[in-house]
Amino acid sequence: MSTFEPVLTRNTRRPDSEKIATYLANGGYQATRMALKMQPDEIIEMVKRSGLRGRGGAGFPAGVKWGFMPKDAPQKIVAVNTDEGEPGTFKDREIVERDPHSVIEGVIIAAYAVGANRAYVYIRGEFFLGVKRWIKAIADAYEHGFLGKDILGSGFNLDMSVHRGAGAYICGEETAMLESLEGKPGNPRLKPPYPAQTGLFGLPTLVHNIETLACIPHIIERGAEWFAGIGTAESKGPKIFSVSGHVNRPGNYELPLGVSLREIIYEHAGGIRNGRALKAVIPGGASTPMLPADQIDVPMAFETLKAIGSELGTGAVIVMDESTCMVQAARRLTKFFAHESCGQCTPCRLGSTRLYEILDRIERGQGKKGDLELLLETVQGIDGTTFCPMGAALVNPARSAIRHFRDEFESHLANKRCPVNGR
Amino acid sequence: MNIAERSLPPAIEDPRERAMLLAALYLAQEQNGWLTPEAIRRVARRLKLSEGQVRSTASFYTMFRLEPRGRYHIQVCEGLSCYLVDGAETIIEHVARKLKIRPGETTPDGRFSLEIVQCLAACDMAPALKVNDELYGNMSLAEIDALIERLAQS
Amino acid sequence: MPTINLTIDGKKVQAETGQTVLQAARAAGISIPVLCDHPALPPEGACRICLVEVEKQRALQPACTFPATEGMVVFTRSPRVMAARKFSLELLVSDHPLDCMTCDATGNCLLQDLAYEYGVTGDRFKGKQHNYPVTDPNPFIQVDRNKCILCRRCVRACQFVNGVEAISVFYRGFNAYIGFGADSTMQDSPCEFCGSCVAVCPTAALWPKMSIGKGRAWQTRTVDTICSYCGVGCKLTLYVRDNEIVRVEGAWDGPANHGWTCVKGRFGYDYVHHPDRLLKPRVRRYLLDGKKKSRKGAAWEWVETDWDTALDITARKLAEARQASGPDSIGVLASAKCLNEENYLMNKLARQVIGTNNIDHCARLCHSSTVAGLAISFGSGAMSNSIEDVTEQAKAFFVIGSNTTEQHPVIGMRIRQAVRQRGAKLIVADPRRIDLCDFAMLHLRQKPGTDIALLNGLMYIILEKGWEDKTFIAERTEGFEDFKAVVMQYPPDRVSQITGVPVEQLHQAAEIIGTTRPMAVLWAMGITQHTTGVYNVMTLANLQMLTGNMGIPGGGVNPLRGQNNVQGACDMGGLPNVYPAYQPVTSEEARKKFEAAWGTPLSPDAGRTVTELIPDILEGKTRALYILGEDPVMSDPDTNHIRKCLEQVDFLVLQEIFPSETEPYADVLLPGVSFAEKSGTFTNTERRVQMVRKAVEPPGEARPDWEIIRDLAVRMLAGRTLNPDAPYAGWNYASTGDIMDEINALAPSYAGITHERLERGESLQWPCTGPEHPGTPILHTQKFTRGLGKFAPIEHIPPAELPDKEYPLVLSTGRVLYHWHGGQMSRRAKGLLEIYPQPLIEISQEDAEKIGLNGTKRVRVCSRRGSIEAKAFVTDRVPPGMVYANFHFPEASANVLTIAALDPVSKIPEYKVCAVKIEPVR
């Protein structure tokens, strides 16, 4: 097993890791001190050079995003997306609950770089403990002069507050999150304008996933080159992989991008439970296309997963062994998306439910001739026609399951029962 | 029509005021365990919003309840990871049988209610469930039984 | 606008920067289907029916929101596009009832049209279907959520057009649905039933209840006309089937309303077909028997008769009165509900045929003080600006004494749009907390009858701060110093004491009014219906001159006229002191002109007003009345006294469509017709003359009013010799167009307003002085009618009857959204009556408690003149010490209580202030 010195999770396993005293005792807020002595543009350049890409799923280059923020706007905002709702993903929860200060540092530095004086942290409603710890962490940061007026004598001001989500996966989509922050239903907004032009309360807003921001203090402290030295050609830095399903040691594993899926499953997560054989893996959370067992040598990086028709997503690895019915897996994931559709656009609102209904009847042995074709037609109809990226995401379980396990669907249809578990 | 009871949305809206809506709804929900019509009215009045704005927002989010629920609201995850480790339906059916209610229902004494929820971001602790705001991971059926017994006594 | 070039379906197309692909395509005649997009609403991009393929874009893009850019290549009907549209349609139809056989929207349903075009049957996806109950109990709009496609057009209409945001989407995803208020019924929500949601609904999810089963699109024909309720002048499209109006829509090209209407305009039309309509002329039996007038027994019974008999009797009786007591013993009341052409004929009948200037109408009761006041200040008295420029361009609105959202709802909507969509500042000054206050930055709650003090106080601060427009004052006005001397007597402390408005609010309001330009003043009865009505208006004129807001778009003095054609009735000479187009009867030049035109000598003396003509009956000065479409028993102050007077009149002819409250006093009843049964013109509050078109045949033997007036005049003129050279002596009109030709010749401001031009689609506001003249959207742009604007020094004068020990409260009166004036029309509109079935007296919580009134009980209101009993509506809409009542219901009309104290100049009664006491009805 290769060893990798944890960066993002270096604090999270300590006792009382969420407390500011623990954080400070382990070198916390040094990056903030360094950054506030730099020129904002220097920081943006540094982040660009680091090759950091967004960890929320889309993988957009962070430095480029910072560069989109208008220089002359009098009021700007940083919004932190911690609405971790992608099934299989629980990396944010660890940071939220156990290392809030590293993210606060990341936010301070980002806000300073783009000239924002207000930051909002949107935390998934279910993370009740995380919300409580963040409220405390922000209060402590104010007390120590890391937030508020004239931070560390730099003349830079930043206010921060926590907003608790209330149960809506779609609020992980950045504009839906902004709507939710504004106290509205989380319906995604029309783009353009992008948040960097018109974001929260109509102000230019930099939106980042929490893990992305957690990388920032380390880039400042150790340098862009250090960060860019980790990973692959197009995917730089450390990454937390959430591993769940049929493995012996489910959990979060921080590893360099580019690590193979095989290594994650068999070395870090302890291999498949009960000595069973691997059947399929979802590499990046529920919305990423699943891979069959023979593709697990793929390096976990944006470009390599894309090349084989999947995505890095949030890096949430869901492992399924030979006892898993793939129709059932697709059905279950699709039910999730149907439940989470905001209902704004037709293909997602109705299409997600119809997709689920077809999978459901196939799974229950009530499928009809032509249902497989209808499934593919529905996938085709939803993909690329919806208001927001949810449409492209919600068809992936069904589409990838059919792509790799078509015979299981056909068997369900022909024999009216499951070829895997006999039910 | 009751002209006096009309509650109009604010024309000159302070967006920061509306931004407090979700937090206000959480506070209101704590009072009775659910958002009563009166609670909705009071939140609307306090934030100078219309009742429609408040209720439509509340209804969008699964964590706000527009109907009464049990004192202990058991939320069982049916996500893929929980299913894979024999959670989800197995647990849901078990709890339903034990409490003699179906998902979405409340026990006659108002103590327990059962709900199926989507992924709780606790897949490392699958199978997982929540009781009110408290998360319980790696739950065997025996542990669930013990938990319910404990809550029934409290 | 710079132009960009793009290619759509292989066709080279040009578009303006900022246009969407949909707009560019439409301009090029390429049709792209839509469901959620609507030209009058902001785009949503949600239904995904307008998806198109754009080169270099991975995903299909919605044409309704995707911006057109230079060099873009778009395909609107590629196989991929067609498949995507068909897919979304299959989904929509899969959760939609397939009841097109019985659905009212069939033939008028976007979903149905698209399903037809794309061959969608709904068979592709069999699955869960919603089954919502169709139960919303409101009288106007059927809510069938099963037919809803969640396009959210209604949500946007309610948010952006009306502004009350009564409609929201509840829950999400597949379970999302449209709901009202706090997810209850429409009636329990802030809904005002303007029906904008119905107007934009692409299916039958929202459908007018009154129209259900009354005919599909292809079974009806449409007639464009003008609404018969208020003075906004909304253009309506009537859908007619088998001589019945079955549905009403706002016309999208209506200049005043852009397709929107209020509840009365859209749902209040069924009075036209009410069984109470007068179908045959009636005369009292004593007239047929040739006996002396008796108001008792069989002699006073109505007898239906034929037109010849009725008109002969009328002509004979009027001629007798003229013979016996002189022309000035006859009074003629024109009608603000009737056509311009008809009012012109009433003016001609009074002046030429009878020989008196005793002609007046209900403008006396609403805006006579405006006409008089503005005439003094500026030289002419009408709304100076247009609805369009005021609502689209004013940066601030000062609404004083106008309950705009209830009385001129579509203007009220457009003000709310201005506030909400472009951040216009709104100040409301009103003793009542009217609905518009919810949209105002500031609500000044002055005591009733203290408007002059309030306005002087605001102008004091403006002058003190130097916010006045010195250039405008120097170049365009006179009398400034005298005016200033009086205003400087109104420092904030004193004004606060008189008006009850806190000093701080005076400063806030003065700053907005003094520093925001353009700023429009809007007013209505709250300003005019006072014994100081003329002075109130002149004070507002002072304000707009002081701030330089005259003659510019978005500014001006904007009196909102009440009746659909009250502006026109005034314009047509329905006033005792002026011929058509405000040519004074006391001007020799004007008199000569009309004597030459009509071929007979005319009276040189101004006539009497309606507020004099009726009380004068008791003194024998008024012997006979000819009333066209007015109901003085309901509309004039001090009802008991009016009744007493009308009992004494020798002869009363009433030309009406219903047996009104005045009917019991009439000797002859002539059945006229409603707006839907005749053609001609109305002039709205902004001086816009618009075509009214016949949609249905009159019921029974009812006849268009202009025909009745004509035939009566012809009878009365029989045997009289008029100058044969006079071009307009005769009454040989075959149509209202013939009458308009005569108006064009004699009323200079209407000279260019012909039926031909209006029918060609021209939209003309007077003055329009010739066939080429484009009309005048804004008055006083270069100079005032009188030359320089006249500042007038005006002091505060208290109302005529103030509260005292015995009558400790102030009564103010007015209307409500759901009814119209005396209620003859609106109480015969089923839905309007259902939603507002009885009079309500607004009382503050404090006063209700003081008299021991529990919220639901009935209350008795007494003044020195009478008393009424009605249900109390305990509310903070009125301040303590004030009650508010309407005059829509004869069983408890506010006018039983009101005082006939008149403004000395305009003779308008003080409807807005009198002293009353209240007690619970045990």
Side-chain angles (χ1 to χ4, degrees):
Chain A
M1 173 159 63
S2 62
T3 54
F4 179 74
E5 178 214 335
V7 180
L8 303 169
T9 53
R10 65 173 179 171
N11 292 327
T12 56
R13 317 277 154 94
R14 293 183 221 277
D16 293 336
S17 66
E18 76 278 9
K19 301 214 162 101
I20 195 163
T22 316
Y23 189 69
L24 287 169
N26 290 284
Y29 285 105
Q30 282 310 317
T32 301
R33 288 178 202 283
M34 288 167 72
L36 292 179
K37 293 191 183 105
M38 294 166 71
Q39 290 301 311
D41 281 347
E42 250 181 278
I43 300 175
I44 297 178
E45 277 314 304
M46 204 170 167
V47 173
K48 278 186 187 162
R49 274 206 318 278
S50 75
L52 172 63
R53 293 171 67 173
R55 302 300 197 226
F60 195 80
V64 177
K65 210 175 191 180
W66 294 20
F68 288 157
M69 291 289 281
K71 298 271 178 241
D72 46 355
Q75 283 181 287
K76 283 173 267 188
I77 289 173
V78 174
V80 186
N81 189 341
T82 316
D83 191 50
E84 182 173 60
E86 178 85 4
T89 316
F90 44 90
K91 66 184 176 71
D92 292 353
R93 204 189 71 225
E94 179 165 339
I95 305 175
V96 168
E97 290 178 358
R98 301 204 201 128
D99 196 12
H101 288 286
S102 70
V103 185
I104 293 178
E105 264 206 277
V107 177
I108 296 169
I109 296 163
Y112 174 70
V114 302
N117 299 110
R118 194 75 179 78
Y120 294 88
V121 184
Y122 186 88
I123 299 181
R124 185 176 169 181
E126 283 84 350
F127 294 171
F128 187 55
L129 179 64
V131 171
K132 283 202 289 193
R133 289 192 171 166
W134 266 80
I135 291 169
K136 170 79 175 125
I138 289 174
D140 289 344
Y142 268 101
E143 204 167 295
H144 284 76
F146 300 123
L147 288 173
K149 294 250 177 295
D150 189 20
I151 296 168
L152 301 175
S154 64
F156 173 64
N157 307 325
L158 179 66
D159 285 305
M160 189 184 291
S161 52
V162 171
H163 274 240
R164 185 182 176 195
Y169 166 75
I170 193 64
C171 292
E173 195 280 333
E174 58 179 0
T175 60
M177 183 193 76
L178 296 176
E179 287 285 296
S180 186
L181 269 173
E182 291 184 6
K184 297 170 184 165
N187 294 317
R189 294 178 181 172
L190 216 54
K191 285 195 275 196
Y194 290 91
Q197 298 130 37
T198 308
L200 191 64
F201 307 130
L203 301 172
T205 304
L206 177 70
V207 185
H208 266 312
N209 173 263
I210 187 170
E211 189 188 354
T212 317
L213 287 162
C215 294
I216 300 295
H218 303 290
I219 293 172
I220 297 293
E221 277 187 66
R222 306 196 198 189
E225 288 64 32
W226 162 80
F227 193 88
I230 303 167
T232 68
E234 291 174 37
S235 308
K236 306 296 190 187
K239 173 88 189 78
I240 306 172
F241 297 97
S242 306
V243 188
S244 66
H246 294 138
V247 289
N248 281 313
R249 289 195 301 271
N252 282 326
Y253 297 93
E254 183 181 351
L255 295 163
L257 279 169
V259 62
S260 78
L261 195 47
R262 179 184 299 278
E263 181 182 326
I264 295 175
I265 298 169
Y266 285 99
E267 296 186 22
H268 301 284
I272 310 300
R273 294 212 297 199
N274 305 325
R276 288 217 179 100
L278 176 68
K279 183 170 186 180
V281 189
I282 296 172
S287 67
T288 59
M290 58 179 77
L291 298 171
D294 59 8
Q295 291 192 325
I296 62 165
D297 287 312
V298 64
M300 290 290 278
F302 292 109
E303 66 276 22
T304 46
L305 281 160
K306 195 173 172 198
I308 59 166
S310 189
E311 293 156 40
L312 179 63
T314 60
V317 179
I318 304 174
V319 178
M320 291 174 273
D321 70 19
E322 58 193 335
S323 70
T324 315
C325 165
M326 300 318 289
V327 179
Q328 171 68 272
R331 168 193 167 276
R332 193 165 291 271
L333 292 168
T334 306
K335 185 177 181 187
F336 167 80
F337 288 111
H339 181 261
E340 298 298 337
S341 169
C342 82
Q344 205 170 353
C345 72
T346 310
C348 180
R349 181 180 75 245
L350 295 166
S352 58
T353 291
R354 297 296 179 238
L355 194 62
Y356 166 73
E357 286 170 345
I358 302 164
L359 286 164
D360 185 55
R361 66 176 179 249
I362 296 175
E363 200 274 328
R364 283 189 287 108
Q366 293 169 3
K368 294 179 299 226
K369 191 169 155 12
D371 269 354
L372 195 54
E373 292 69 28
L374 187 60
L375 260 184
L376 289 168
E377 181 189 322
T378 309
V379 163
Q380 194 62 35
I382 296 171
D383 186 22
T385 63
T386 53
F387 190 92
C388 79
M390 172 103 161
L394 81 87
V395 297
N396 276 335
R399 180 163 53 194
S400 60
I402 298 171
R403 184 191 299 152
H404 300 298
F405 304 97
R406 190 181 182 109
D407 54 334
E408 262 182 56
F409 286 80
E410 283 167 349
S411 171
H412 272 87
L413 283 166
N415 305 319
K416 308 287 181 200
R417 60 189 187 88
C418 177
V420 182
N421 57 31
R423 283 199 294 268
Chain B
M1 172 209 49
N2 192 341
I3 301 166
E5 286 300 311
R6 289 159 51 103
S7 78
L8 287 168
I12 310 152
E13 192 176 316
D14 177 359
R16 283 169 179 78
E17 190 134 12
R18 179 159 187 175
M20 296 192 283
L21 178 53
L22 266 56
L25 286 170
Y26 272 121
L27 280 177
Q29 185 159 277
E30 267 176 34
Q31 313 289 313
N32 296 293
W34 64 290
L35 290 167
T36 62
E38 175 56 23
I40 298 261
R41 243 192 312 278
R42 282 168 59 184
V43 169
R45 214 172 302 148
R46 181 69 183 76
L47 297 183
K48 301 197 207 91
L49 297 170
S50 73
E51 285 175 51
Q53 289 171 322
V54 173
R55 199 178 166 93
S56 95
T57 302
S59 72
F60 186 88
Y61 297 96
T62 53
M63 292 181 69
F64 295 127
R65 265 152 254 293
L66 295 167
E67 273 152 31
R69 60 167 189 183
R71 191 168 144 207
Y72 299 107
H73 186 56
I74 301 172
Q75 303 143 73
V76 182
C77 177
E78 69 159 351
L80 179 59
S81 300
C82 286
Y83 161 75
L84 292 176
V85 297
D86 208 19
E89 277 90 343
T90 311
I91 296 179
I92 293 161
E93 278 160 25
H94 180 80
V95 175
R97 214 168 22 245
K98 186 166 177 67
L99 297 175
K100 299 190 181 67
I101 51 172
R102 279 175 303 194
E105 291 180 348
T106 304
T107 53
D109 62 359
R111 187 167 279 269
F112 293 102
S113 47
L114 173 63
E115 187 187 4
I116 301 172
V117 296
Q118 298 303 319
C119 185
L120 290 169
C123 315
D124 51 340
M125 300 187 265
L129 57 87
K130 266 175 65 177
V131 179
N132 297 343
D133 277 329
E134 209 67 43
L135 180 69
Y136 296 86
N138 298 316
M139 294 297 276
S140 67
L141 294 183
E143 283 167 324
I144 292 169
D145 284 345
L147 175 65
I148 291 176
E149 295 302 332
R150 202 167 70 241
L151 296 175
Q153 304 302 318
S154 68
Chain C
M1 274 287 172
T3 307
I4 44 179
N5 301 287
L6 62 159
T7 309
I8 304 179
D9 294 345
K11 189 174 161 186
K12 299 270 177 229
V13 167
Q14 291 203 322
E16 285 170 15
T17 311
Q19 280 193 317
T20 62
V21 170
L22 181 64
Q23 288 166 330
R26 279 201 178 137
I30 297 166
S31 125
I32 297 174
V34 294
L35 279 177
C36 71
D37 189 72
H38 190 282
L41 299 172
E44 182 96 342
C47 73
R48 317 309 276 182
I49 294 302
C50 70
L51 289 179
V52 293
E53 198 167 339
V54 180
E55 237 178 47
K56 299 193 195 106
Q57 291 283 330
R58 188 190 82 89
L60 299 176
Q61 296 296 338
C64 68
T65 56
F66 203 73
T69 51
E70 181 65 38
M72 181 181 270
V73 180
V74 179
F75 300 95
T76 73
R77 299 183 71 82
S78 70
R80 197 174 152 211
V81 165
M82 300 302 274
R85 285 186 195 149
K86 185 168 181 182
F87 174 71
S88 283
L89 288 167
E90 286 284 5
L91 289 175
L92 287 170
V93 177
S94 77
D95 188 26
H96 192 95
L98 299 178
D99 65 347
C100 301
M101 296 292 272
T102 52
C103 180
D104 278 279
T106 289
N108 190 17
C109 171
L110 279 185
L111 184 64
Q112 186 188 43
D113 292 349
L114 287 172
Y116 171 75
E117 190 183 334
Y118 286 78
V120 170
T121 58
D123 284 344
R124 198 78 187 109
F125 298 100
K126 293 280 187 206
K128 207 161 40 161
Q129 279 201 330
H130 287 107
N131 187 13
Y132 297 108
V134 184
T135 52
D136 201 285
N138 81 81
F140 303 111
I141 299 169
Q142 174 168 286
V143 183
D144 186 348
R145 292 180 177 86
N146 303 305
K147 293 179 179 171
C148 174
I149 57 167
L150 270 302
C151 67
R152 301 180 194 224
R153 280 184 179 187
C154 56
V155 177
R156 281 172 285 155
C158 203
Q159 180 178 0
F160 293 101
V161 177
N162 184 303
V164 296
E165 291 190 24
I167 312 181
S168 316
V169 176
F170 292 89
Y171 298 91
R172 71 184 190 202
F174 188 74
N175 298 321
Y177 61 82
I178 297 298
F180 308 95
D183 197 12
S184 60
T185 62
M186 287 188 102
Q187 233 151 313
D188 286 333
S189 80
C191 176
E192 294 173 341
F193 297 101
C194 69
S196 302
C197 53
V198 179
V200 297
C201 182
T203 70
L206 298 170
W207 194 260
K209 283 188 177 172
M210 299 159 73
S211 308
I212 292 172
K214 288 277 178 86
R216 260 80 166 269
W218 67 87
Q219 296 171 305
T220 56
R221 62 186 173 85
T222 62
V223 180
D224 280 357
T225 190
I226 302 300
C227 182
S228 65
Y229 281 101
C230 82
V232 175
C234 295
K235 186 171 175 184
L236 302 178
T237 302
L238 310 184
Y239 290 74
V240 180
R241 184 186 183 204
D242 299 340
N243 205 41
E244 186 190 353
I245 304 167
V246 295
R247 190 154 64 93
V248 169
E249 293 282 356
W252 297 108
D253 61 350
N257 60 315
H258 294 278
W260 313 115
T261 72
C262 75
V263 58
K264 295 188 289 290
R266 194 181 298 273
F267 301 120
Y269 59 84
D270 48 332
Y271 75 87
V272 168
H273 303 301
H274 195 278
D276 283 355
R277 279 290 299 270
L278 299 174
L279 304 178
K280 272 176 82 101
R282 294 179 198 175
V283 298
R284 299 291 181 185
R285 183 172 300 283
Y286 84 88
L287 287 166
L288 282 180
D289 296 350
K291 293 198 175 128
K292 232 177 117 254
K293 177 163 179 174
S294 162
R295 288 176 44 83
K296 289 200 188 82
W300 193 246
E301 275 172 10
W302 280 124
V303 182
E304 285 192 344
T305 182
D306 58 84
W307 275 104
D308 279 338
T309 308
L311 288 173
D312 285 345
I313 288 173
T314 305
R316 194 182 75 235
K317 294 298 286 185
L318 290 176
E320 281 172 17
R322 185 173 182 264
Q323 200 70 38
S325 313
D328 289 338
S329 70
I330 302 174
V332 172
L333 299 188
S335 175
K337 296 232 81 63
C338 288
L339 303 171
N340 282 324
E341 292 79 356
E342 292 166 341
N343 280 289
Y344 174 81
L345 291 192
M346 286 300 271
N347 137 82
K348 188 174 175 183
L349 178 88
R351 298 189 156 112
Q352 183 213 31
V353 179
I354 299 173
T356 181
N357 285 315
N358 282 345
I359 176 167
D360 203 6
H361 70 286
C362 69
R364 183 66 46 207
L365 311 173
C366 64
H367 271 295
S368 58
S369 45
T370 294
V371 175
L374 293 182
I376 298 167
S377 298
F378 300 145
S380 65
M383 182 163 164
S384 64
N385 288 47
S386 304
I387 295 169
E388 187 77 11
D389 80 78
V390 167
T391 55
E392 302 290 328
Q393 295 185 51
K395 291 216 171 65
F397 297 93
F398 183 29
V399 176
I400 179 164
S402 159
N403 180 5
T404 322
T405 56
E406 292 197 74
Q407 313 310 344
H408 301 89
V410 170
I411 294 179
M413 276 186 210
R414 294 184 69 175
I415 293 174
R416 291 197 292 219
Q417 289 170 30
V419 171
R420 176 143 295 156
Q421 290 177 32
R422 59 183 181 84
K425 296 170 181 167
L426 170 66
I427 300 175
V428 172
D430 201 303
R432 293 168 72 219
R433 188 188 56 72
I434 55 173
D435 290 342
L436 204 52
C437 294
D438 290 334
F439 287 70
M441 291 185 90
L442 211 49
H443 175 204
L444 309 177
R445 209 163 185 180
Q446 80 274 34
K447 290 179 194 155
T450 63
D451 304 277
I452 294 169
L454 175 69
L455 294 164
N456 279 351
L458 296 175
M459 290 192 284
Y460 176 100
I461 299 168
I462 288 169
L463 282 166
E464 195 185 47
K465 300 277 186 191
W467 290 327
E468 74 273 23
D469 187 334
K470 297 177 184 74
T471 316
F472 188 90
I473 295 166
E475 290 175 0
R476 302 274 317 262
T477 70
E478 62 185 353
F480 178 68
E481 290 306 324
D482 291 349
F483 151 79
K484 185 176 174 181
V486 166
V487 166
M488 294 323 280
Q489 307 299 310
Y490 289 83
D493 283 343
R494 180 181 173 216
V495 169
S496 181
Q497 213 161 33
I498 300 172
T499 61
V501 176
V503 170
E504 190 199 341
Q505 287 187 5
L506 294 173
H507 282 285
Q508 289 167 340
E511 179 165 355
I512 295 168
I513 291 169
T515 61
T516 317
R517 238 155 278 186
M519 184 274 294
V521 167
L522 289 86
W523 75 83
M525 311 296 88
I527 280 293
T528 61
Q529 289 176 337
H530 289 280
T531 45
T532 56
V534 171
Y535 287 154
N536 287 354
V537 169
M538 289 166 69
T539 308
L540 287 168
N542 287 344
L543 175 70
Q544 290 303 71
M545 288 190 284
L546 184 72
T547 52
N549 274 310
M550 289 306 301
I552 55 169
V557 289
N558 301 286
L560 304 179
R561 306 299 303 254
Q563 298 277 8
N564 56 316
N565 196 34
V566 67
Q567 184 64 52
C570 292
D571 298 343
M572 292 300 107
L575 297 170
N577 57 337
V578 288
Y579 297 117
Y582 305 98
Q583 302 168 78
V585 296
T586 48
S587 147
E588 180 145 349
E589 189 194 338
R591 195 179 78 245
K592 290 243 150 68
K593 171 180 167 180
F594 281 91
E595 284 178 344
W598 291 339
T600 190
L602 301 174
S603 165
D605 305 319
R608 284 174 287 143
T609 66
V610 58
T611 45
E612 295 166 320
L613 281 168
I614 294 175
D616 283 353
I617 292 170
L618 293 185
E619 288 163 35
K621 277 169 77 179
T622 306
R623 297 282 189 175
L625 286 171
Y626 175 18
I627 301 178
L628 169 62
E630 293 223 351
D631 191 9
V633 170
M634 288 302 286
S635 59
D636 289 23
D638 195 356
T639 308
N640 291 334
H641 189 68
I642 295 288
R643 287 183 190 275
K644 205 178 296 166
C645 296
L646 292 178
E647 279 172 8
Q648 302 292 318
V649 74
D650 286 354
F651 184 68
L652 198 166
V653 193
L654 182 61
Q655 189 166 318
E656 252 298 356
I657 62 170
F658 291 119
S660 67
E661 295 304 304
T662 304
E663 172 259 2
Y665 305 92
D667 297 85
V668 174
L669 203 48
L670 304 175
V673 300
S674 76
F675 81 113
E677 293 143 353
K678 57 190 172 188
S679 295
T681 57
F682 288 158
T683 305
N684 78 348
T685 185
E686 50 173 350
R687 300 169 281 108
R688 191 184 301 280
V689 184
Q690 309 189 89
M691 281 309 295
V692 175
R693 294 183 187 85
K694 178 175 169 175
V696 291
E697 292 300 327
E701 294 173 25
R703 297 178 66 194
D705 297 87
W706 62 272
E707 289 186 29
I708 304 172
I709 305 161
R710 176 195 66 192
D711 291 358
L712 183 64
V714 168
R715 280 173 167 80
M716 289 183 72
L717 283 173
R720 267 176 63 191
T721 330
L722 301 168
N723 181 353
D725 296 334
Y728 302 110
W731 284 74
N732 192 20
Y733 310 110
S735 70
T736 52
D738 290 350
I739 306 169
M740 194 50 127
D741 292 344
E742 187 170 325
I743 296 167
N744 296 150
L746 296 176
S749 57
Y750 275 68
I753 305 178
T754 63
H755 282 196
E756 291 71 32
R757 285 182 77 182
L758 297 177
E759 286 291 10
R760 270 205 307 271
E762 287 192 67
S763 189
L764 299 171
Q765 288 167 278
W766 67 254
C768 173
T769 51
E772 304 300 322
H773 191 286
T776 311
I778 302 178
L779 297 177
H780 316 303
T781 48
Q782 302 304 318
K783 63 185 194 67
F784 289 103
T785 315
R786 73 183 289 279
L788 292 176
K790 183 161 178 51
F791 273 109
I794 295 167
E795 297 272 10
H796 164 66
I797 305 168
E801 186 182 69
L802 285 169
D804 53 24
K805 247 198 177 127
E806 197 184 350
Y807 296 95
L809 292 115
V810 173
L811 169 75
S812 189
T813 69
R815 303 193 288 110
V816 302
L817 174 64
Y818 297 102
H819 283 285
W820 186 254
H821 282 247
Q824 300 302 345
M825 289 152 55
S826 59
R827 279 184 282 112
R828 291 184 176 91
K830 195 169 159 280
L832 296 176
L833 188 66
E834 188 178 326
I835 199 144
Y836 200 106
Q838 59 173 322
L840 295 175
I841 311 268
E842 293 181 11
I843 295 176
S844 70
Q845 183 70 45
E846 288 86 341
D847 290 323
E849 277 167 20
K850 219 179 272 177
I851 61 164
L853 185 82
N854 158 325
T856 57
K857 294 242 181 78
R858 288 173 70 79
V859 67
R860 184 180 299 119
V861 187
C862 312
S863 76
R864 291 185 172 82
R865 294 153 293 279
S867 74
I868 58 172
E869 287 179 20
K871 198 173 162 190
F873 168 27
V874 179
T875 171
D876 67 347
R877 284 164 68 92
V878 287
M882 180 172 172
V883 292
Y884 179 86
N886 65 57
F887 59 104
H888 302 307
F889 297 87
E891 61 267 35
S893 164
N895 282 329
V896 171
L897 308 168
T898 50
I899 182 168
L902 304 183
D903 175 279
V905 179
S906 66
K907 313 290 184 192
I908 196 168
E910 191 152 58
Y911 288 105
K912 294 299 182 203
V913 184
C914 75
V916 295
K917 61 184 175 188
I918 53 172
E919 56 198 30
V921 179
R922 302 284 175 208

